[in-house]
Amino acid sequence: MILTVTLNTALDITYRVGALRPHTSHRVSDVTERPGGKGVNVARVLAALGHETTVTGFAGGATGRAVRERLADAPGVRDALFPVAGPTRRTIAVVDELTGDTTQLNEPGPQIAPAEWGAFLDRYEELLGGASAVALCGSLPPGVPVGAYAGLIKAARSVGVPVLLDTSGEPLRRGVAARPDLVKPNADELAELTGSHEPARATQDARRRGARTVVASLGAQGLLALTPEGRWRATPPTREHGNPTGAGDSVTAALLSGLIEQLPWPDRLTRAVALSAATVRAAAAGEFDRMAYEKLLGQVAVTGGPAAG
């Protein structure tokens, strides 16, 4: 079982409009609602790839109930969300059908009380007992300690469960120092962590700070991976247009599935780039266009190798 942790779960709402123009009213042509938050998206993609997955994190209020009701309809995903008093947040994506661009609005999330955080830690340690890998994903809701991910990494490492960390800012900096097996920052997050805007140098610095493996997401330029085995670069055949929400989460899912399946790094990165591009083509986060994914698998270019590490 792969465990995904989403401390700041969300109800993802996607609106589609003909053309998004500031300071005007818009007629929405389509609305979709999905259980969301980075780790929830990761879990849904993992389940679609055939992996048993459990979701944990916080859920509260009417929005939290909506998330759990919709999660019950996600095949292959087990709900182990922890109830809290505060309401789960919503995220709003507005897709401009004329340009293909997406505007994202993210609420902050519920206030987590110290007692709720302590009870969650007990539940997390129980779930680790049945986990083959764990993904720690996304932002921290108010009230959760900024070093939360560092503590969750140490707990997983203490029982031999490999950890992937996908967050940003100070939680990323503290999490990297706890020595996760893999971190997956985007270019901006990597630059904020290391102070370098040169990806090759920044990935080396991130490894020196504690991460065993760094896979940097460079948007349309694909992925750059620095691992103990070597360095690889994987690039998509074309730039995709659509809804990018969840594309990075599909990368996380691909890397986790590749870890569990013990795939060589070029195959893991090929899967990650293809899944990410296929997610951009899908209607909502946590989904991917399977036909596009299978086609893209044969079109991703991977360079590098063990000698480059």
Side-chain angles (χ1 to χ4, degrees), residues 130-220:
S132 54
V134 59
L136 307 175
C137 304
S139 61
L140 303 179
V144 172
V146 70
Y149 283 136
L152 298 181
I153 290 167
K154 291 174 182 176
R157 287 177 55 85
S158 71
V159 293
V161 177
V163 185
L164 183 153
L165 176 64
D166 183 10
T167 188
S168 60
E170 187 65 12
L172 174 61
R173 188 184 71 80
R174 297 199 187 192
V176 166
R179 305 186 66 81
D181 295 270
L182 193 155
V183 294
K184 191 208 70 64
N186 62 31
D188 291 339
E189 292 162 351
L190 186 61
E192 183 181 6
L193 173 67
T194 66
S196 174
H197 291 273
E198 203 290 303
R201 180 180 302 170
T203 53
Q204 289 177 332
D205 186 28
R207 281 203 70 207
R208 284 194 294 267
R209 290 169 183 259
R212 177 175 172 81
T213 292
V214 181
V215 177
S217 180
L218 307 179

Side-chain angles (χ1 to χ4, degrees), residues 70-295:
R70 287 161 175 77
L71 200 57
D73 296 329
V77 178
R78 176 190 169 212
D79 176 2
L81 292 171
F82 191 87
V84 292
T88 294
R89 66 188 179 130
R90 296 164 297 177
T91 66
I92 311 296
V94 183
V95 179
D96 184 325
E97 294 179 328
L98 181 65
T99 64
D101 293 333
T102 300
T103 299
Q104 189 81 16
L105 303 173
N106 297 327
E107 296 179 355
Q111 180 74 33
I112 305 301
E116 292 172 331
W117 175 240
F120 170 79
L121 290 177
D122 292 338
R123 179 61 173 144
Y124 172 72
E125 292 185 359
E126 292 175 4
L127 291 168
L128 284 176
S132 54
V134 59
L136 307 175
C137 304
S139 61
L140 303 179
V144 172
V146 70
Y149 283 136
L152 298 181
I153 290 167
K154 291 174 182 176
R157 287 177 55 85
S158 71
V159 293
V161 177
V163 185
L164 183 153
L165 176 64
D166 183 10
T167 188
S168 60
E170 187 65 12
L172 174 61
R173 188 184 71 80
R174 297 199 187 192
V176 166
R179 305 186 66 81
D181 295 270
L182 193 155
V183 294
K184 191 208 70 64
N186 62 31
D188 291 339
E189 292 162 351
L190 186 61
E192 183 181 6
L193 173 67
T194 66
S196 174
H197 291 273
E198 203 290 303
R201 180 180 302 170
T203 53
Q204 289 177 332
D205 186 28
R207 281 203 70 207
R208 284 194 294 267
R209 290 169 183 259
R212 177 175 172 81
T213 292
V214 181
V215 177
S217 180
L218 307 179
Q221 299 176 48
L223 301 175
L224 176 63
L226 182 60
T227 83
E229 294 80 21
R231 180 192 297 273
W232 287 268
R233 182 73 174 265
T235 54
T238 59
R239 183 185 183 92
E240 297 292 335
H241 294 281
N243 182 3
T245 305
D249 304 330
S250 288
V251 171
T252 297
L255 295 174
L256 281 170
S257 65
L259 169 69
I260 296 302
E261 296 171 30
Q262 299 182 325
L263 296 180
W265 270 106
D267 292 346
R268 298 187 201 187
L269 298 172
T270 295
R271 177 181 290 179
V273 170
L275 263 180
S276 176
T279 299
V280 174
R281 297 188 187 184
E287 299 177 356
F288 61 93
D289 185 320
R290 188 169 289 274
M291 289 184 62
Y293 165 61
E294 293 175 354
K295 181 179 179 180

Side-chain angles (χ1 to χ4, degrees), residues 6 8 76 173 254 283 299-300:
T6 311
N8 213 1
R173 188 184 71 80
Q299 300 177 344
V300 175

